[in-house]
Coordinates of all heavy atoms in Angstrom, one line a residue:
F1 N 68.3 78.2 -78.2 CA 67.1 77.5 -78.2 C 67.4 76.0 -77.9 O 66.7 75.4 -77.1 CB 66.3 77.7 -79.4 CG 65.1 76.7 -79.6 CD1 64.0 76.8 -78.7 CD2 65.2 75.7 -80.5 CE1 63.0 75.9 -78.9 CE2 64.1 74.8 -80.6 CZ 63.0 74.9 -79.8
Q2 N 68.3 75.5 -78.6 CA 68.6 74.0 -78.5 C 69.1 73.7 -77.1 O 68.7 72.7 -76.5 CB 69.6 73.6 -79.5 CG 69.0 73.7 -80.9 CD 70.0 73.3 -82.0 OE1 71.0 72.7 -81.7 NE2 69.6 73.5 -83.2
Y3 N 69.9 74.6 -76.5 CA 70.4 74.3 -75.1 C 69.2 74.5 -74.1 O 69.1 73.7 -73.2 CB 71.5 75.4 -74.7 CG 72.9 74.9 -75.1 CD1 73.4 75.3 -76.3 CD2 73.6 74.1 -74.2 CE1 74.7 74.9 -76.6 CE2 74.9 73.7 -74.6 CZ 75.4 74.1 -75.7 OH 76.7 73.7 -76.1
L4 N 68.4 75.5 -74.3 CA 67.3 75.7 -73.3 C 66.3 74.6 -73.4 O 65.8 74.1 -72.4 CB 66.6 77.0 -73.6 CG 67.4 78.3 -73.4 CD1 66.7 79.5 -73.9 CD2 67.8 78.4 -72.0
K5 N 66.0 74.1 -74.6 CA 65.1 73.0 -74.8 C 65.6 71.7 -74.1 O 64.9 71.1 -73.4 CB 64.9 72.7 -76.3 CG 64.0 71.7 -76.7 CD 63.8 71.6 -78.2 CE 63.7 70.3 -78.7 NZ 63.6 70.2 -80.2
R6 N 66.9 71.4 -74.3 CA 67.5 70.3 -73.6 C 67.5 70.4 -72.1 O 67.3 69.5 -71.3 CB 68.8 70.0 -74.2 CG 68.8 69.3 -75.6 CD 70.1 69.3 -76.3 NE 70.1 68.6 -77.5 CZ 69.5 69.1 -78.7 NH1 68.9 70.2 -78.7 NH2 69.5 68.3 -79.7
F7 N 67.8 71.7 -71.6 CA 67.9 72.0 -70.2 C 66.5 71.7 -69.6 O 66.4 71.0 -68.5 CB 68.3 73.4 -70.0 CG 68.2 73.8 -68.5 CD1 69.2 73.5 -67.7 CD2 67.2 74.6 -68.1 CE1 69.2 73.8 -66.3 CE2 67.1 75.0 -66.8 CZ 68.1 74.6 -65.9
D8 N 65.4 72.1 -70.2 CA 64.1 71.9 -69.7 C 63.7 70.4 -69.6 O 63.0 70.0 -68.8 CB 63.0 72.7 -70.5 CG 63.0 74.1 -70.2 OD1 63.6 74.6 -69.2 OD2 62.3 74.9 -70.9
R9 N 64.3 69.7 -70.5 CA 64.0 68.2 -70.6 C 64.9 67.4 -69.7 O 64.8 66.2 -69.6 CB 64.0 67.7 -72.0 CG 62.9 68.3 -72.8 CD 62.9 67.9 -74.2 NE 61.8 68.4 -74.9 CZ 61.6 68.3 -76.2 NH1 62.4 67.6 -77.0 NH2 60.5 68.9 -76.8
G10 N 65.8 68.1 -69.0 CA 66.7 67.4 -68.1 C 67.9 66.7 -68.7 O 68.5 65.8 -68.1
Y11 N 68.2 67.0 -70.0 CA 69.3 66.3 -70.6 C 70.7 66.8 -70.1 O 70.8 67.9 -69.5 CB 69.3 66.6 -72.1 CG 68.2 66.0 -72.9 CD1 68.0 66.3 -74.2 CD2 67.2 65.2 -72.3 CE1 66.9 65.7 -74.9 CE2 66.2 64.6 -73.0 CZ 66.0 64.9 -74.3 OH 65.0 64.4 -75.0
N12 N 71.7 66.0 -70.2 CA 73.0 66.3 -69.8 C 73.6 67.3 -70.9 O 73.9 66.9 -72.0 CB 73.9 65.1 -69.7 CG 75.3 65.4 -69.3 OD1 75.7 66.5 -69.1 ND2 76.1 64.4 -69.3
L13 N 73.8 68.5 -70.5 CA 74.3 69.5 -71.5 C 75.8 69.5 -71.6 O 76.4 70.1 -72.5 CB 73.8 70.9 -71.0 CG 72.3 71.2 -71.0 CD1 72.0 72.6 -70.5 CD2 71.7 70.9 -72.4
D14 N 76.5 68.8 -70.7 CA 77.9 68.7 -70.8 C 78.4 68.1 -72.1 O 79.5 68.4 -72.5 CB 78.5 67.9 -69.6 CG 78.3 68.6 -68.3 OD1 78.0 69.8 -68.3 OD2 78.3 67.9 -67.2
T15 N 77.7 67.2 -72.7 CA 78.1 66.6 -73.9 C 77.5 67.1 -75.1 O 77.8 66.7 -76.2 CB 77.8 65.1 -73.8 OG1 76.4 64.9 -73.6 CG2 78.6 64.4 -72.6
F16 N 76.5 68.1 -75.0 CA 75.9 68.6 -76.2 C 76.7 69.7 -76.8 O 77.3 70.5 -76.1 CB 74.5 69.2 -75.8 CG 73.8 69.9 -77.0 CD1 73.3 69.1 -78.0 CD2 73.7 71.2 -77.0 CE1 72.7 69.7 -79.1 CE2 73.1 71.9 -78.1 CZ 72.6 71.1 -79.1
C17 N 76.8 69.7 -78.1 CA 77.5 70.8 -78.8 C 76.6 71.2 -80.0 O 76.2 70.3 -80.8 CB 78.9 70.3 -79.3 SG 79.9 71.6 -80.0
Y18 N 76.4 72.5 -80.1 CA 75.6 73.0 -81.2 C 76.3 72.8 -82.6 O 77.5 72.9 -82.7 CB 75.4 74.5 -81.1 CG 74.8 75.2 -82.2 CD1 73.4 75.0 -82.5 CD2 75.5 76.0 -83.1 CE1 72.8 75.6 -83.6 CE2 74.9 76.6 -84.2 CZ 73.6 76.4 -84.4 OH 73.0 77.0 -85.5
K19 N 75.5 72.3 -83.6 CA 76.1 72.2 -84.9 C 75.5 73.3 -85.8 O 74.3 73.5 -85.8 CB 75.7 70.8 -85.5 CG 76.4 69.7 -84.8 CD 75.9 68.3 -85.2 CE 76.5 67.2 -84.5 NZ 76.6 67.3 -83.1
A20 N 76.4 74.0 -86.4 CA 76.0 75.2 -87.2 C 74.9 74.9 -88.2 O 75.0 73.8 -88.9 CB 77.2 75.8 -87.9
H21 N 74.0 75.7 -88.4 CA 72.9 75.6 -89.3 C 71.9 74.5 -89.1 O 71.1 74.2 -89.9 CB 73.4 75.5 -90.8 CG 74.4 76.6 -91.1 ND1 74.0 77.9 -91.2 CD2 75.7 76.6 -91.3 CE1 75.1 78.7 -91.5 NE2 76.1 77.9 -91.6
S22 N 72.0 73.8 -87.9 CA 71.0 72.8 -87.6 C 69.8 73.5 -87.1 O 69.8 74.5 -86.4 CB 71.6 71.8 -86.5 OG 71.8 72.5 -85.3
V23 N 68.6 72.9 -87.5 CA 67.4 73.5 -87.1 C 66.5 72.5 -86.3 O 66.4 71.4 -86.7 CB 66.6 74.0 -88.4 CG1 65.2 74.5 -88.1 CG2 67.4 75.0 -89.2
E24 N 66.0 73.0 -85.2 CA 65.1 72.2 -84.4 C 63.9 73.1 -84.1 O 64.0 74.3 -83.9 CB 65.7 71.8 -83.1 CG 66.9 70.8 -83.3 CD 67.5 70.3 -82.0 OE1 66.9 70.6 -80.9 OE2 68.6 69.8 -82.0
G25 N 62.7 72.4 -83.9 CA 61.5 73.2 -83.5 C 61.1 74.2 -84.5 O 61.4 74.1 -85.7
N26 N 60.2 75.1 -84.1 CA 59.7 76.1 -84.9 C 59.8 77.5 -84.2 O 60.2 77.5 -83.0 CB 58.3 75.8 -85.3 CG 57.4 75.7 -84.1 OD1 57.3 76.6 -83.3 ND2 56.6 74.6 -84.0
P27 N 59.6 78.6 -84.9 CA 59.7 79.9 -84.3 C 58.9 80.1 -83.1 O 59.4 80.7 -82.1 CB 59.3 80.8 -85.4 CG 59.6 80.1 -86.7 CD 59.3 78.7 -86.4
A28 N 57.7 79.5 -83.0 CA 56.9 79.7 -81.8 C 57.5 79.0 -80.6 O 57.5 79.6 -79.5 CB 55.5 79.2 -82.1
E29 N 58.0 77.8 -80.8 CA 58.7 77.1 -79.7 C 59.9 77.9 -79.2 O 60.2 78.0 -78.0 CB 59.1 75.7 -80.1 CG 58.1 74.7 -80.2 CD 58.6 73.4 -80.7 OE1 59.1 73.3 -81.9 OE2 58.6 72.4 -79.9
C30 N 60.7 78.4 -80.1 CA 61.9 79.2 -79.8 C 61.5 80.4 -79.0 O 62.1 80.7 -78.0 CB 62.5 79.6 -81.2 SG 64.1 80.4 -80.9
L31 N 60.5 81.2 -79.4 CA 60.1 82.4 -78.7 C 59.6 82.0 -77.3 O 59.9 82.7 -76.3 CB 59.0 83.1 -79.5 CG 58.5 84.4 -78.9 CD1 59.6 85.4 -78.6 CD2 57.4 85.0 -79.7
Q32 N 58.9 80.9 -77.2 CA 58.4 80.5 -75.9 C 59.5 80.2 -75.0 O 59.5 80.6 -73.8 CB 57.5 79.2 -76.1 CG 56.9 78.8 -74.8 CD 56.0 77.6 -75.0 OE1 56.1 76.8 -75.9 NE2 55.0 77.4 -74.1
Q33 N 60.6 79.5 -75.4 CA 61.7 79.2 -74.6 C 62.4 80.4 -74.1 O 62.8 80.6 -73.0 CB 62.7 78.3 -75.4 CG 62.3 76.9 -75.5 CD 62.3 76.1 -74.2 OE1 63.1 76.4 -73.3 NE2 61.4 75.2 -74.0
F34 N 62.6 81.4 -75.0 CA 63.2 82.6 -74.7 C 62.4 83.4 -73.6 O 63.0 84.0 -72.7 CB 63.5 83.5 -75.9 CG 64.5 83.0 -76.9 CD1 64.5 83.3 -78.2 CD2 65.5 82.1 -76.4 CE1 65.4 82.8 -79.1 CE2 66.4 81.6 -77.3 CZ 66.4 81.9 -78.6
L35 N 61.1 83.4 -73.8 CA 60.3 84.1 -72.8 C 60.3 83.5 -71.5 O 60.3 84.1 -70.4 CB 58.8 84.2 -73.4 CG 58.6 85.1 -74.5 CD1 57.2 84.8 -75.1 CD2 58.7 86.5 -74.2
L36 N 60.4 82.1 -71.4 CA 60.4 81.4 -70.2 C 61.8 81.6 -69.4 O 61.8 81.7 -68.2 CB 60.3 79.9 -70.4 CG 58.9 79.4 -70.7 CD1 58.9 78.0 -71.2 CD2 58.0 79.6 -69.6
H37 N 62.8 81.8 -70.2 CA 64.2 81.8 -69.5 C 64.8 83.2 -69.4 O 65.9 83.3 -68.8 CB 65.1 80.9 -70.3 CG 64.7 79.5 -70.1 ND1 65.1 78.8 -68.9 CD2 64.0 78.6 -70.9 CE1 64.6 77.5 -69.0 NE2 64.0 77.4 -70.2
C38 N 64.2 84.2 -70.0 CA 64.9 85.5 -70.1 C 64.9 86.2 -68.7 O 65.8 87.1 -68.5 CB 64.4 86.4 -71.2 SG 62.8 87.2 -70.8
G39 N 64.0 85.9 -67.8 CA 64.1 86.5 -66.5 C 63.3 87.8 -66.4 O 63.3 88.4 -65.3
I40 N 62.6 88.2 -67.4 CA 61.8 89.4 -67.4 C 60.4 89.0 -67.7 O 60.1 88.3 -68.6 CB 62.3 90.4 -68.4 CG1 63.8 90.8 -68.1 CG2 61.5 91.7 -68.4 CD1 64.4 91.7 -69.2
T41 N 59.4 89.6 -66.9 CA 58.0 89.2 -67.0 C 57.4 89.5 -68.3 O 56.8 88.7 -69.0 CB 57.2 89.9 -65.9 OG1 57.8 89.5 -64.6 CG2 55.8 89.4 -65.9
D42 N 57.6 90.7 -68.8 CA 57.1 91.1 -70.1 C 58.2 91.8 -70.9 O 58.2 93.1 -71.0 CB 55.9 92.1 -69.9 CG 55.2 92.4 -71.1 OD1 55.3 91.7 -72.1 OD2 54.4 93.4 -71.1
P43 N 59.1 91.0 -71.4 CA 60.3 91.7 -72.1 C 59.9 92.3 -73.4 O 59.0 91.9 -74.1 CB 61.2 90.5 -72.3 CG 60.3 89.3 -72.5 CD 59.1 89.6 -71.5
S44 N 60.7 93.3 -73.8 CA 60.6 94.0 -75.1 C 61.4 93.1 -76.1 O 62.2 92.3 -75.7 CB 61.1 95.4 -75.0 OG 62.5 95.4 -74.8
W45 N 61.2 93.4 -77.3 CA 62.0 92.7 -78.3 C 63.5 93.0 -78.1 O 64.3 92.1 -78.3 CB 61.6 93.1 -79.8 CG 60.3 92.5 -80.2 CD1 59.1 93.1 -80.4 CD2 60.1 91.1 -80.5 NE1 58.2 92.2 -80.7 CE2 58.7 91.0 -80.8 CE3 60.9 90.0 -80.4 CZ2 58.2 89.8 -81.1 CZ3 60.3 88.8 -80.7 CH2 59.0 88.7 -81.1
S46 N 63.8 94.2 -77.7 CA 65.2 94.6 -77.5 C 65.8 93.7 -76.3 O 66.9 93.3 -76.4 CB 65.3 96.0 -77.1 OG 66.6 96.4 -76.8
E47 N 65.0 93.6 -75.2 CA 65.5 92.7 -74.1 C 65.6 91.3 -74.5 O 66.6 90.6 -74.1 CB 64.5 92.9 -72.9 CG 64.5 94.3 -72.3 CD 63.4 94.6 -71.4 OE1 62.2 94.1 -71.6 OE2 63.6 95.3 -70.4
L48 N 64.7 90.8 -75.3 CA 64.9 89.4 -75.8 C 66.1 89.2 -76.7 O 66.8 88.3 -76.6 CB 63.6 88.9 -76.6 CG 62.4 88.5 -75.8 CD1 61.3 88.2 -76.7 CD2 62.8 87.3 -74.9
R49 N 66.3 90.2 -77.5 CA 67.5 90.2 -78.4 C 68.8 90.2 -77.5 O 69.7 89.5 -77.8 CB 67.5 91.4 -79.3 CG 68.7 91.3 -80.3 CD 69.2 92.7 -80.7 NE 70.4 92.7 -81.4 CZ 71.6 92.7 -80.8 NH1 71.8 92.7 -79.5 NH2 72.7 92.6 -81.6
N50 N 68.9 91.1 -76.5 CA 70.0 91.1 -75.7 C 70.2 89.8 -74.9 O 71.4 89.4 -74.8 CB 69.9 92.3 -74.7 CG 70.1 93.6 -75.4 OD1 70.6 93.7 -76.5 ND2 69.5 94.7 -74.8
F51 N 69.2 89.2 -74.4 CA 69.2 88.0 -73.7 C 69.8 86.9 -74.7 O 70.7 86.1 -74.3 CB 67.9 87.5 -73.2 CG 67.8 86.1 -72.8 CD1 68.4 85.7 -71.6 CD2 67.1 85.2 -73.5 CE1 68.3 84.4 -71.2 CE2 67.0 83.8 -73.1 CZ 67.7 83.5 -71.9
T52 N 69.3 86.8 -75.9 CA 69.7 85.7 -76.8 C 71.2 86.0 -77.2 O 71.9 85.0 -77.4 CB 68.8 85.6 -78.0 OG1 68.7 86.8 -78.7 CG2 67.4 85.1 -77.6
W53 N 71.5 87.2 -77.4 CA 72.9 87.6 -77.9 C 73.9 87.2 -76.8 O 74.9 86.5 -77.0 CB 73.0 89.1 -78.2 CG 74.4 89.4 -78.6 CD1 74.9 89.4 -79.9 CD2 75.4 89.9 -77.8 NE1 76.2 89.8 -79.9 CE2 76.6 90.1 -78.6 CE3 75.6 90.1 -76.4 CZ2 77.8 90.5 -78.1 CZ3 76.8 90.5 -75.9 CH2 77.9 90.7 -76.8
F54 N 73.6 87.5 -75.5 CA 74.4 87.2 -74.4 C 74.5 85.7 -74.2 O 75.6 85.2 -74.0 CB 73.9 87.9 -73.1 CG 74.8 87.6 -71.9 CD1 76.0 88.2 -71.8 CD2 74.3 86.7 -71.0 CE1 76.8 87.9 -70.6 CE2 75.1 86.4 -69.9 CZ 76.4 87.0 -69.7
L55 N 73.4 85.0 -74.2 CA 73.4 83.6 -74.0 C 74.2 82.9 -75.1 O 75.0 82.0 -74.8 CB 72.0 83.0 -74.0 CG 71.8 81.5 -73.8 CD1 72.4 81.1 -72.4 CD2 70.4 81.1 -73.9
N56 N 74.0 83.3 -76.3 CA 74.8 82.8 -77.5 C 76.3 83.0 -77.3 O 77.1 82.1 -77.5 CB 74.3 83.4 -78.8 CG 74.8 82.7 -80.0 OD1 74.8 81.4 -80.1 ND2 75.4 83.4 -80.9
A57 N 76.7 84.2 -76.9 CA 78.1 84.5 -76.7 C 78.7 83.6 -75.6 O 79.8 83.1 -75.8 CB 78.3 86.0 -76.4
Q58 N 78.0 83.4 -74.5 CA 78.5 82.6 -73.4 C 78.6 81.2 -73.8 O 79.6 80.5 -73.5 CB 77.5 82.8 -72.2 CG 77.5 84.1 -71.6 CD 78.9 84.5 -71.1 OE1 79.5 83.8 -70.3 NE2 79.4 85.7 -71.5
L59 N 77.6 80.6 -74.5 CA 77.6 79.2 -74.9 C 78.7 79.0 -76.0 O 79.3 77.9 -75.9 CB 76.2 78.8 -75.4 CG 75.1 78.7 -74.4 CD1 73.8 78.5 -75.0 CD2 75.4 77.7 -73.4
R60 N 78.9 79.9 -76.9 CA 79.9 79.8 -77.9 C 81.3 79.8 -77.2 O 82.2 78.9 -77.5 CB 79.9 81.0 -78.9 CG 80.8 80.8 -80.0 CD 80.8 81.9 -81.1 NE 79.4 82.4 -81.3 CZ 79.1 83.7 -81.1 NH1 80.0 84.6 -80.7 NH2 77.9 84.1 -81.3
D61 N 81.5 80.6 -76.2 CA 82.8 80.6 -75.5 C 83.0 79.3 -74.7 O 84.1 78.8 -74.6 CB 82.9 81.8 -74.5 CG 83.0 83.2 -75.3 OD1 83.3 83.1 -76.5 OD2 82.9 84.2 -74.6
C62 N 81.9 78.9 -74.1 CA 81.9 77.6 -73.3 C 82.3 76.4 -74.2 O 83.2 75.6 -73.9 CB 80.6 77.4 -72.7 SG 80.5 75.9 -71.7
E63 N 81.7 76.4 -75.4 CA 82.0 75.3 -76.3 C 83.5 75.3 -76.8 O 84.1 74.3 -77.1 CB 81.1 75.3 -77.5 CG 79.7 74.8 -77.2 CD 78.8 74.7 -78.4 OE1 79.2 75.2 -79.5 OE2 77.6 74.2 -78.3
A64 N 84.0 76.5 -76.9 CA 85.4 76.7 -77.4 C 86.4 76.5 -76.3 O 87.6 76.3 -76.6 CB 85.5 78.1 -78.0
S65 N 86.0 76.5 -75.1 CA 87.0 76.4 -73.9 C 87.4 74.9 -73.7 O 86.5 74.1 -73.6 CB 86.4 76.9 -72.7 OG 87.2 76.7 -71.6
V66 N 88.7 74.7 -73.6 CA 89.1 73.4 -73.3 C 88.7 72.9 -71.9 O 88.5 71.7 -71.7 CB 90.7 73.3 -73.5 CG1 91.4 74.1 -72.4 CG2 91.2 71.8 -73.5
F67 N 88.5 73.9 -71.0 CA 88.1 73.5 -69.7 C 86.6 73.1 -69.6 O 86.2 72.5 -68.6 CB 88.3 74.7 -68.7 CG 89.8 75.1 -68.7 CD1 90.2 76.2 -69.3 CD2 90.7 74.3 -68.0 CE1 91.6 76.6 -69.2 CE2 92.0 74.6 -68.0 CZ 92.5 75.8 -68.6
C68 N 85.9 73.3 -70.6 CA 84.5 72.8 -70.7 C 84.3 71.6 -71.6 O 83.2 71.1 -71.8 CB 83.6 73.9 -71.2 SG 83.5 75.3 -70.0
N69 N 85.4 71.1 -72.1 CA 85.4 69.9 -73.0 C 85.4 68.7 -72.1 O 86.4 68.4 -71.4 CB 86.6 70.0 -73.9 CG 86.7 68.8 -74.9 OD1 86.1 67.7 -74.6 ND2 87.3 69.0 -76.0
P70 N 84.3 67.9 -72.2 CA 84.2 66.7 -71.3 C 85.3 65.7 -71.6 O 85.7 64.9 -70.7 CB 82.9 66.1 -71.6 CG 82.4 66.7 -72.9 CD 83.1 68.0 -73.0
D71 N 85.9 65.6 -72.8 CA 87.0 64.7 -73.1 C 88.3 65.1 -72.4 O 89.1 64.3 -72.0 CB 87.2 64.7 -74.6 CG 86.0 64.1 -75.3 OD1 85.3 63.2 -74.8 OD2 85.8 64.5 -76.5
F72 N 88.4 66.4 -72.2 CA 89.6 67.0 -71.5 C 89.5 66.9 -70.0 O 90.4 66.4 -69.3 CB 89.9 68.4 -71.9 CG 91.0 69.0 -71.3 CD1 92.3 68.7 -71.6 CD2 90.9 70.0 -70.3 CE1 93.4 69.3 -71.0 CE2 91.9 70.6 -69.6 CZ 93.2 70.2 -70.0
V73 N 88.4 67.4 -69.4 CA 88.3 67.4 -68.0 C 87.7 66.1 -67.4 O 87.8 65.9 -66.2 CB 87.4 68.6 -67.5 CG1 88.0 69.9 -67.9 CG2 86.0 68.5 -68.1
Q74 N 87.2 65.3 -68.2 CA 86.6 64.0 -67.8 C 85.5 64.3 -66.8 O 84.7 65.1 -67.1 CB 87.6 63.0 -67.4 CG 88.5 62.6 -68.5 CD 89.8 61.9 -68.1 OE1 90.0 61.6 -67.0 NE2 90.6 61.6 -69.1
D75 N 85.5 63.7 -65.6 CA 84.4 64.0 -64.7 C 84.8 64.9 -63.5 O 84.1 65.0 -62.5 CB 83.9 62.7 -64.1 CG 84.9 61.9 -63.3 OD1 86.1 62.3 -63.2 OD2 84.5 60.9 -62.6
T76 N 85.9 65.6 -63.6 CA 86.4 66.4 -62.5 C 85.6 67.7 -62.3 O 85.6 68.2 -61.2 CB 87.9 66.9 -62.8 OG1 88.0 67.6 -64.0 CG2 88.8 65.7 -62.8
L77 N 84.8 68.1 -63.3 CA 84.0 69.3 -63.2 C 82.5 69.0 -63.5 O 81.8 69.8 -64.0 CB 84.5 70.4 -64.1 CG 85.9 71.0 -63.9 CD1 86.3 71.9 -65.0 CD2 86.0 71.6 -62.5
R78 N 82.1 67.8 -63.2 CA 80.8 67.4 -63.5 C 79.7 68.4 -63.0 O 79.7 68.7 -61.9 CB 80.5 66.0 -63.0 CG 79.2 65.4 -63.4 CD 79.1 63.9 -63.1 NE 78.1 63.3 -63.8 CZ 78.1 63.0 -65.1 NH1 79.1 63.3 -65.8 NH2 77.1 62.3 -65.6
G79 N 78.8 68.8 -63.9 CA 77.8 69.7 -63.5 C 78.2 71.2 -63.5 O 77.4 72.0 -63.2
F80 N 79.4 71.4 -63.7 CA 79.9 72.8 -63.6 C 79.3 73.6 -64.7 O 78.8 74.7 -64.5 CB 81.4 72.9 -63.7 CG 82.0 74.2 -63.7 CD1 81.9 75.0 -62.5 CD2 82.6 74.8 -64.8 CE1 82.5 76.3 -62.5 CE2 83.1 76.1 -64.7 CZ 83.0 76.8 -63.6

């Protein structure tokens, strides 16, 4: 949710890193973001769950990768 919210507002996501247990927004905002970005017109709860699980796994791997660390790559992969 935090990544999607910042993406919609045009923030630079290269420097953003999720902090465990941090809370932003409310459940209605969260659901709205997922519905906007999941790519399915009328998703089931299962489809939303799969979308959020996959997105979370990808973002967790990205944050853990040294190749996605802006301090390591500097500006060589800007926008990647």
Side-chain angles (χ1 to χ4, degrees):
F1 166 70
Q2 293 178 11
Y3 272 95
L4 294 175
K5 182 173 140 182
R6 284 167 175 75
F7 175 77
D8 281 349
R9 293 181 178 173
Y11 292 176
N12 180 3
L13 298 178
D14 293 341
T15 57
F16 177 71
C17 188
Y18 172 74
K19 291 175 184 44
H21 308 294
S22 63
V23 176
E24 292 182 14
N26 60 52
E29 285 179 295
C30 184
L31 181 58
Q32 183 179 26
Q33 284 294 325
F34 293 155
L35 289 169
L36 286 171
H37 292 281
C38 77
I40 300 172
T41 305
D42 188 19
S44 66
W45 283 110
S46 178
E47 290 167 327
L48 280 176
R49 184 213 170 271
N50 290 338
F51 167 72
T52 57
W53 180 86
F54 178 77
L55 182 62
N56 188 51
Q58 294 299 305
L59 291 171
R60 189 179 322 122
D61 289 348
C62 180
E63 286 183 353
S65 172
V66 68
F67 298 106
C68 295
N69 182 332
D71 296 329
F72 177 74
V73 296
Q74 296 169 2
D75 66 350
T76 58
L77 298 174
R78 186 164 196 77
F80 178 69

